[in-house]
């Protein structure tokens, strides 16, 4: 158990899609902002790690379980904590609840520390785990190994200026958008993600182009984001049909 | 003068670009959400107009004056009112202020009412203006006439599922994103919009492709968003250089 932090949030209209439900990637982005606020309050902001240790956090995996996506103007509660860490990875969990305290969504972000200068992965020192009140564990369970796709349907996307975040990188949530987009309007309007396992392996350069490929087996889709013949990210998503 | 409404807002990380300033289109989207909240409180929501009159609001023009774009976690105040209306158009104004009460941005949205069934423009009745406490005027000054561009540099964009809003339409802010995007990463990183005049003429269909063309003359850019050989929107934007 880590130090727990929570905020309330009302779903704004620019976060809602044509089905009347929150757009998942925008909701995740807001969760990450909530965690930045907690980190600031704990004296453990990104700026602190860079100045004090010369380290930056990198996201390696997302795991998301969706029970119900909130709707326009719905008031939700977002709880977050850095649940646990081992020598290399830490797991930050977000739990979203509705007014009746029903769990809407559980979202885990797996992070590692990278030396800003050498670009090498750095150990997570106990004093870093302590900042978040996080528990040391031997093993952190992450996404399953994902094989390269064969015979994938592909779409190509230009990286947009608006995809770039304040760190000058393509925001992590954009990779998930590219995976979703490749499935097409009709599929997305009639299906909702139930479980997402997302693995990041290589950053996409600003200004470049990416290919978003997928293979669909019933209600499971397998995704691969690639650029310059290298895999940038992979995902497995399971879906449920929803009323149009 | 219309009924005035205001909300405070803290700029979240997903609204900030690589220059550390708020992304204008995301900021405008939040302003529109604030105006929806006011309309709800005044009993004048979009749903009310549709149910009571069979009418929907359509945006015809945006006019934006930017004095300073707020930065990450900056607390701002958003004031809005439906300033005035004539028989066809109304003008809603947003004014954004910082903690020192300095004007950051002024944003006018010009709207008309359309009959949902016949798709024809409908008169704005005095009782509708009254709902917003708005002043009747003879003339509403709108964007200047914009000519079709010649020898424009062009970029092509696929409409994404995430571009579609809860009404099933490409969100108005996306047209502005397409205009910006065509200018390229290097220009956008080193320039900030100072004044924007944006004119909407025809909706882009979901699932389609658009062409975003522009001509640049010093620090003024002229834009044209088109699809299927028809102009969907036009803009004139003046820019100021900013520190990278």
């Amino acid at each position: 158990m880590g130090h727990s932090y929570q905020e309330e949030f009302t779903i704004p209209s620019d976060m809602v899609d044509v089905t009347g439900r929150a757009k998942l990637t925008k909701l995740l982005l807001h969760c990450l902002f909530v965690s930045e606020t907690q980190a600031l309050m704990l004296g453990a902001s990104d700026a602190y790690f860079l100045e004090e240790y010369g380290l930056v956090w990198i996201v390696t995996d997302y795991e998301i379980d969706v029970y119900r996506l909130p709707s326009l103007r719905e008031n939700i509660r977002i709880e977050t904590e850095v649940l646990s860490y081992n020598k290399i990875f830490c797991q930050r969990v977000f739990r979203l609840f509705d007014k009746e305290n029903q769990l809407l969504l559980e979202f885990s972000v797996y992070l590692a520390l990278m030396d800003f200068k050498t670009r090498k992965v750095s150990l997570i020192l106990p004093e870093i785990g302590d900042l978040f009140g996080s528990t040391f564990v031997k093993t952190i369970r992450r996404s399953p190994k994902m094989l390269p796709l064969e015979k994938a349907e592909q779409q190509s996307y230009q990286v947009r200026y608006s995809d770039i975040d304040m760190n000058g990188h393509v925001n992590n949530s954009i990779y998930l958008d590219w995976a979703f987009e490749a499935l097409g309007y009709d599929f997305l309007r009639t299906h909702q993600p139930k479980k997402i396992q997302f693995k990041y392996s290589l950053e996409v350069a600003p200004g470049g182009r990416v290919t978003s490929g997928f293979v669909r087996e019933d209600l499971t889709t397998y995704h691969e984001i690639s650029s310059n013949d290298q895999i940038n990210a992979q995902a497995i998503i399971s879906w449920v049909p929803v009323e149009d």
Side-chain angles (χ1 to χ4, degrees), chain A:
Chain A
M1 294 286 287
H3 297 312
S4 183
Y5 175 74
Q6 56 175 279
E7 276 187 20
E8 293 201 4
F9 182 63
T10 301
I11 306 294
S13 47
D14 53 288
M15 199 180 263
V16 173
D17 74 7
V18 64
T19 72
R21 299 176 190 90
K23 293 179 182 180
L24 184 63
T25 51
K26 293 203 191 313
L27 195 55
L28 303 183
L29 275 172
H30 184 75
C31 289
L32 295 175
F33 179 58
V34 170
S35 70
E36 290 161 24
T37 303
Q38 181 193 31
L40 264 179
M41 291 168 68
L42 294 173
S45 68
D46 287 357
Y48 170 79
F49 284 106
L50 186 58
E51 282 160 27
E52 201 69 18
Y53 297 96
L55 299 175
V56 291
W57 290 103
I58 50 171
V59 171
T60 64
D61 303 74
Y62 277 176
E63 185 165 302
I64 308 149
D65 289 284
V66 182
Y67 303 103
R68 180 173 74 77
L69 285 171
S71 50
L72 178 64
R73 292 190 180 275
E74 186 167 347
N75 192 261
I76 64 170
R77 182 165 55 82
I78 301 171
E79 259 185 31
T80 185
E81 61 176 307
V82 180
L83 192 69
S84 58
Y85 71 105
N86 68 6
K87 288 185 179 173
I88 304 293
F89 300 103
C90 78
Q91 179 184 6
R92 181 182 270 282
V93 181
F94 299 88
R95 290 187 196 88
L96 280 58
F97 297 93
D98 67 14
K99 275 290 186 200
E100 281 71 44
N101 237 16
Q102 294 292 308
L103 184 63
L104 295 169
L105 196 147
E106 194 164 43
F107 166 35
S108 279
V109 186
Y110 297 86
L111 302 128
L113 278 169
M114 187 180 73
D115 188 290
F116 186 68
K117 281 191 189 145
T118 66
R119 313 305 277 179
K120 282 187 181 151
V121 168
S122 174
L123 292 182
I124 303 179
L125 300 173
E127 68 196 63
I128 291 176
D130 288 350
L131 281 171
F132 297 101
S134 188
T135 308
F136 182 83
V137 292
K138 280 222 161 165
T139 314
I140 299 245
R141 183 184 53 82
R142 289 161 59 227
S143 300
K145 189 166 168 58
M146 301 181 199
L147 297 172
L149 296 185
E150 286 179 23
K151 297 184 187 165
E153 287 190 49
Q154 294 186 325
Q155 286 276 342
S156 165
Y157 296 97
Q158 176 70 44
V159 178
R160 298 183 186 176
Y161 180 77
S162 61
D163 297 335
I164 310 295
D165 65 19
M166 59 181 178
N167 300 313
H169 301 159
V170 175
N171 190 280
N172 287 313
S173 73
I174 303 294
Y175 296 72
L176 191 52
D177 264 337
W178 286 326
F180 284 171
E181 287 295 335
L183 297 167
Y185 186 80
D186 288 337
F187 183 86
L188 294 170
R189 213 188 39 193
T190 52
H191 293 81
Q192 191 175 294
K194 194 172 85 179
K195 186 175 187 71
I196 300 176
Q197 291 172 302
F198 213 94
K199 191 183 274 295
Y200 295 93
S201 37
L202 188 69
E203 214 177 281
V204 172
R209 267 194 101 77
V210 298
T211 299
S212 175
F214 75 94
V215 169
R216 182 177 160 196
E217 287 175 6
D218 294 328
L219 288 173
T220 304
T221 53
Y222 300 86
H223 298 264
E224 197 171 277
I225 311 295
S226 55
S227 58
N228 303 320
D229 293 325
Q230 288 195 291
I231 293 177
N232 299 96
Q234 294 164 295
I236 304 174
I237 310 179
S238 62
W239 300 84
V240 282
V242 288
E243 296 282 318
D244 191 5

